[in-house]
Amino acid sequence: MAKKALLIGINYVGTKAELRGCVNDVRRMHISLVERYGFSEKNIKMLIDTDSSSIKPTGKNIRQALLDLVEPAKPGDVLFVHYSGHGTRLPAETGEDDDTGYDECIVPSDMNLITDEAKEQIGESTKKKNRDSGDSSTINKETEAEINEVGSRSLPLETFIDMLKQETGNDNIEVGKIRTTLFDMFGEDSSPKVKKFMNVILSNLQETIATSPGEILGSIENLAQEFLEQKLNDDVKPAIQEVYAGAINGAFPDNGILISGCQTDQTSADASPPGHPELAYGALTNAIQIILGETKGKISNKDLVLKARKLLKKQGFDQRPGLYCNDAYVNAQFIC
């Protein structure tokens, strides 16, 4: 049995979305994996944006690192992914079953958004190895002492758009143009959902080109907006009810274990002790480290999340960490 981990920490240094504690989070988690859970140094890959000698956590590099983690996986392997950095949400552009009105994204250092890649890749690997074992993959995501400074790890869409404008020099970027902008910036290295969206738009443009070739540029914007509105009204809203009904009934698929920094209507905190910004941390990651340090022996996923909620409330944080997994793993050990 192999134990492998991917640790991603992004501080967005020098941007208007700068955070302080994300790289500290992954370094602390690295220590825990080695000293407490027996992970080998050679089986832990770190992607951080504050060290020139480290692989940068760009969208392309994160996708490749996920592939490198899950593709060689065998039955019985333990895969652990930790992400500390910004998250954001885009209005959904498809009517697929997992849509809840938004595409929830993590924000790489180059803004090449990661949409469903992590969930799909970890999920497929888990399905593959669980045919022969009871193990599962774990994703710890914080898209998040006395507290001196507290910031949010939820990146407002307006701020993300401002960062795109600064990066591209194009001031004419709005919500409906985010995906076309990302595709223009990253091409085939874009998120699969961005490429899928562009394929639909370009396919629809063929008729416009044939009938009104002089109106192509205007049609791109109009088609994108029409597509978003149609999918939201016809497909996404009905799908929301199905998704939440399944969640209430415990019908989560066997796609690994996800521990998130907060609920979907909350944000995760980036905090630091008084006078020590260099010791900044993510609220959930810090809580997990405290709990693990006070716990002798094993702790279940459920107990870890419940204790983290209690501790965070005591520390003055509003966020409530979430546990998302198949019912069979609720009481399973946190990291086998």
Side-chain angles (χ1 to χ4, degrees):
M1 179 187 76
K3 294 183 176 182
K4 300 180 180 180
L6 172 61
L7 310 179
I8 305 164
I10 313 176
N11 279 356
Y12 312 92
V13 179
T15 73
K16 63 191 306 179
E18 184 169 351
L19 297 170
R20 292 179 174 178
C22 299
V23 173
N24 288 343
D25 284 352
V26 299
R27 286 177 171 155
R28 293 175 72 185
M29 188 59 69
H30 183 282
I31 294 172
S32 291
L33 293 177
V34 173
E35 296 184 355
R36 183 183 179 97
Y37 293 104
F39 281 66
S40 170
E41 293 269 3
K42 67 179 182 180
N43 287 336
I44 301 176
K45 177 178 285 188
M46 287 208 315
L47 275 61
I48 59 177
D49 65 343
T50 58
D51 186 344
S52 59
S53 64
S54 173
I55 301 174
K56 298 301 179 186
T58 63
K60 181 179 180 180
N61 288 343
I62 292 173
R63 292 184 184 95
Q64 186 59 53
L66 286 168
L67 285 173
D68 293 342
L69 179 71
V70 303
E71 284 192 339
K74 299 177 181 179
D77 287 355
V78 175
L79 308 181
F80 181 85
V81 179
H82 176 105
Y83 172 79
S84 283
H86 275 305
T88 194
R89 302 196 304 176
L90 300 183
E93 87 284 10
T94 71
E96 297 171 353
D97 289 343
D98 62 348
D99 278 336
T100 55
Y102 292 92
D103 277 337
E104 295 184 338
C105 315
I106 62 175
V107 185
S109 59
D110 62 348
M111 295 176 289
N112 186 5
L113 297 179
I114 304 286
T115 50
D116 288 344
E117 292 93 326
K119 179 178 68 175
E120 292 172 357
Q121 289 172 343
I122 296 293
E124 286 304 311
S125 172
T126 302
K127 291 175 184 176
K128 178 178 69 175
K129 46 196 198 66
N130 281 356
R131 294 190 187 106
D132 300 309
S133 77
D135 294 326
S136 182
S137 306
T138 302
I139 305 175
N140 178 40
K141 182 177 74 169
E142 185 158 11
T143 59
E144 348 167 10
E146 182 183 0
I147 302 166
N148 185 35
E149 295 186 23
V150 179
S152 172
R153 290 189 175 179
S154 176
L155 185 65
L157 202 54
E158 295 78 8
T159 303
F160 179 71
I161 291 174
D162 286 343
M163 293 171 69
L164 285 180
K165 290 179 179 178
Q166 181 178 358
E167 183 70 20
T168 62
N170 179 9
D171 289 332
N172 190 30
I173 300 177
E174 302 170 351
V175 173
K177 299 179 182 179
I178 290 177
R179 291 179 178 84
T180 53
T181 300
L182 291 174
F183 186 77
D184 185 55
M185 293 173 66
F186 302 107
E188 288 303 310
D189 290 331
S190 303
S191 161
K193 276 202 168 185
V194 167
K195 290 188 287 187
K196 177 180 178 180
F197 176 79
M198 289 303 300
N199 285 336
V200 172
I201 297 302
L202 293 174
S203 178
N204 289 343
L205 271 177
Q206 291 179 352
E207 295 182 12
T208 302
I209 293 173
T211 58
S212 306
E215 300 178 3
I216 294 176
L217 292 179
S219 296
I220 292 176
E221 180 179 347
N222 292 336
L223 283 169
Q225 187 63 36
E226 290 173 6
F227 185 63
L228 285 170
E229 292 177 356
Q230 179 181 350
K231 284 298 181 182
L232 181 61
N233 292 327
D234 296 347
D235 297 321
V236 176
K237 289 180 179 178
I240 293 174
Q241 303 302 323
E242 296 181 11
V243 171
Y244 283 118
I248 292 172
N249 294 326
F252 281 103
D254 186 3
N255 284 343
I257 301 163
L258 169 65
I259 297 177
S260 66
C262 61
Q263 303 297 304
T264 56
D265 59 347
Q266 299 176 321
T267 59
S268 294
D270 190 74
S272 60
H276 294 281
E278 75 281 2
L279 300 179
Y281 55 81
L284 172 63
T285 301
N286 186 61
I288 288 176
Q289 295 298 326
I290 293 174
I291 294 166
L292 293 180
E294 295 175 347
T295 302
K296 295 182 179 179
K298 303 176 181 179
I299 186 170
S300 71
N301 295 306
K302 177 182 177 181
D303 287 344
L304 179 63
V305 170
L306 291 178
K307 287 186 177 183
R309 288 180 177 181
K310 184 177 181 180
L311 178 57
L312 288 169
K313 184 177 181 180
K314 181 179 179 181
Q315 292 176 330
F317 294 103
D318 293 329
Q319 68 189 75
R320 298 176 69 250
L323 173 62
Y324 305 90
C325 63
N326 184 278
D327 287 351
Y329 300 121
V330 171
N331 293 308
Q333 179 185 348
F334 174 69
I335 307 182
C336 300

